[in-house]
Amino acid sequence: MKIKLINFVLFILFFAFLPAQAGIVEPVYKQLKDPGTDDLPSTVSLQITPNGKKMFVLDHLGNAGTKKVHIYDLTTPFDLSTMDVTNRLNISLEGHGDNLLGNNDNKDIEFNNDGTKVFFFSEYGSLQIHNLTTPYDVASISSSTLVADDGLNYKTKYSVDDIKGVEFNNDGTKMFFVNGKTAGATDIAQINLSTPFDPTSGIKAYTLDTEPAGVFKHTMEVSFDDDGTRLYVSETNNNSTGLTTYMYVYKLYDPFELSSANFVGKWPIKGNGNNISAYSWTFGNNGMKLYIGTEDLNNDGDDIIYEYDLTCPYGIVICESETASVASAQVEIAKNVIHQNTSSIFKRFEWLRRNENKTNLNSHNLKLNINNPILASLTNKLQSSFKDLKYTQASLKTKKPLNDKRKWSSWIHGDISFGRRGDTISSKPKGISTKGISIGTDKLTKNGNFLGFAMRYGDDDVDIKSATNEELNSESLSFNIYSQLPGNTSNLNALLGLSFLNIEKMVSGNTTGKRIGKQIYTALSYEEEKNYNKFDIIPYGKAELGITQLSAYTDYGAEGANNAEIHERLTFRTGNASAGFKFDHTLYMDESRLSRNGFLEYVFDFTPDIDHRYKNHIDNVTVENTIKRYSSNNIKGNIGFESFNKSGYTFALNYERFQSLDNSAHTDSLLFKFGKQKNENTNFDVIYDPLKNNNTEISYLKNYDNFNLKIKSNYAMYSKIPDYGAGIELSATF
């Protein structure tokens, strides 16, 4: 009974503290600007370029000679106080063959997604479209840039009373009209377009009635956030003063789909201490700015533009994290952990292949310097017989090594990576950095196979490139077992790994949620044993497959954001297949060897779409977002070197580039490796010189780190005076 009581108290306290974030999120008024000196323009439509350097204002009046778009330069991007009103450009919309209809009517200016097409709508159903050679260069419009008049009246075509506001979705496959004929009888029409940004190709798909949300005044403008999951509708009081007007906010559980809209709240529109009506408005600076144009007869005058700062992107009523971007970043972290582990271990496989036919510089060797031509033919056979007997390196070609000579070899591999994932329709670009260190050990087994174990610790940081200051920090610990199965003409490499992840979600450096994960993965690579031409070209193929499970967690968002998102457990598969070729050329020197190596491969990412489910505490409605892979087609290249010295130590440095062929996503990596081969550091030498009285020297050399112990004797086989000698030498190298 006590346990149940405690749980009940904790339950009450949890929900008691949740409303501590309660209350709507409100824009913060910053300043106002009069865009003219003669009550013109009348600010019926506003737009600002993505870089914040130009603002466009459409005029309310429709009399002859006044149908214009006014273009302003902003000296400081997004700062309304630096708007150059004196030198504004006034571009006429008349005389282009498709004049806008009506006098004193509402008009709307819209662009396509890259600013190469501009649309001028009239509330009476007419439309003027121009193609722009330079994005957002509205000053260049003329009859030559005009798209031929389609002859349509869009009020009639799509059965709307008045077109007060217009909006497109990100890819131009949907168009939205605000139908604001009378107060208390407004709605929003969704038009699905079969051809992107072609208003003639549409079918009216849905009408959202705004009255249930309490919209009782004229609606004049509509907009969405950047991923189409929030909808904003404003109202105006039709020049009446003292009345409170609102901006209404909906959440859309299917992006840009009005049928999924759910009303969440409204904000009383105020500016400079006054109630104002949003005759027109637009967002700027990735949703961190709001600009409202009014036609109110209030203390601030007529035709005023108000500027607001938002505490979070599109932060009106509620703040939401970059949910789609965060979820996709978590998937990318999981994929990167697998990639870094397999990359490190396959680097080890390359080292083994590079050394499988080469005598270790510190292993037992027989050196025969025979200058007698008659005996020279015996050199190779005799030398080989000694090598085969005393060879101690864990070679993939040694079928039956001596039991007491199989040694464990250790290696260390470090990696540092920097990269970027480009933005998609629903996801922000991300900066990704990774640091990791792998430690492994391996040996040749009794049956001739190669077996190894490796552990990797990694740290991944993802910076989401948006105004929210959101980032992810992940720590991972991985355990791997790997093996190489030698063949007569090819090598098959395999590994199996297990990782544990700890992911922290942060906003402005403060942790807002934690998620743990676990994954299992495997990788196979196949390569030909045969080398082609002097650069040792080696064809190969590789495949990776992993399954990751991330725990459920709650993201509480930034302080004061009025947002808590509960994310369900997420299980997903990732994988890729690649094919390419390696090159590897070794230079032999007196005390060391230098390998110049690298590869080039095509990588196909076959990771399926991943459905991610979450809900917000405000409405408690589960939302499902689909995370798509960034790029199916990729290319990866690597170039570097590896140095082997006589003490058994190796050092390698490689630069690697992973480049998407579908977009600008890429990763640059520096890979470091240190290794130590544990072998008997001895040499057994027999030197026979027939030109020097048939002198024969036998020596035994043993290396102890920096010290060399040499025992030798000599004998002149055919000297009349027998010459015997013996000695011990101790030398050191520092």
Side-chain angles (χ1 to χ4, degrees), residues 27 29 244-245 267-276 292 306 308:
Y29 167 76
T244 301
T245 58
W267 166 57
I269 304 173
K270 293 184 178 181
N272 198 26
N274 304 312
N275 294 325
I276 62 175
I292 296 179
Y306 294 83
Y308 300 81

Side-chain angles (χ1 to χ4, degrees), residues 656-720:
E656 187 170 293
R657 171 86 173 193
F658 184 95
Q659 177 67 57
S660 166
L661 298 178
D662 298 330
N663 51 51
S664 61
H666 66 271
T667 302
D668 296 288
S669 301
L670 284 177
L671 310 174
F672 307 87
K673 196 201 80 169
F674 300 91
K676 167 64 176 173
Q677 186 72 26
K678 294 184 177 179
N679 293 303
E680 296 292 337
N681 296 325
T682 60
N683 284 286
F684 179 68
D685 300 332
V686 178
I687 301 176
Y688 171 60
D689 191 348
L691 300 182
K692 291 186 178 181
N693 202 26
N694 296 297
N695 187 70
T696 303
E697 179 181 307
I698 300 174
S699 68
Y700 176 83
L701 176 65
K702 175 70 175 180
N703 175 262
Y704 298 93
D705 293 328
N706 293 327
F707 294 91
N708 298 311
L709 175 65
K710 186 175 183 179
I711 302 174
K712 67 176 182 177
S713 67
N714 59 72
Y715 174 67
M717 295 178 63
Y718 298 105
S719 174
K720 294 181 179 180

Side-chain angles (χ1 to χ4, degrees), residues 53-120:
K53 294 183 178 181
K54 287 187 181 295
M55 179 171 279
F56 308 95
V57 179
L58 279 186
D59 196 357
H60 186 188
L61 298 179
N63 298 319
T66 61
K67 297 177 182 178
K68 297 178 181 178
V69 55
H70 304 267
I71 306 173
Y72 302 83
D73 289 325
L74 279 68
T75 306
T76 301
F78 303 106
D79 185 350
L80 207 59
S81 67
T82 66
M83 175 188 284
D84 187 354
V85 176
T86 303
N87 298 309
R88 71 186 182 192
L89 293 177
N90 306 313
I91 307 300
S92 176
L93 301 179
E94 296 184 285
H96 299 320
D98 193 4
N99 291 332
L100 301 179
L101 300 175
N103 296 325
N104 296 315
D105 63 326
N106 190 70
K107 299 178 183 67
D108 193 276
I109 177 174
E110 295 294 330
F111 293 92
N112 67 343
N113 55 356
D114 61 3
T116 57
K117 192 181 291 287
V118 61
F119 305 81
F120 299 102

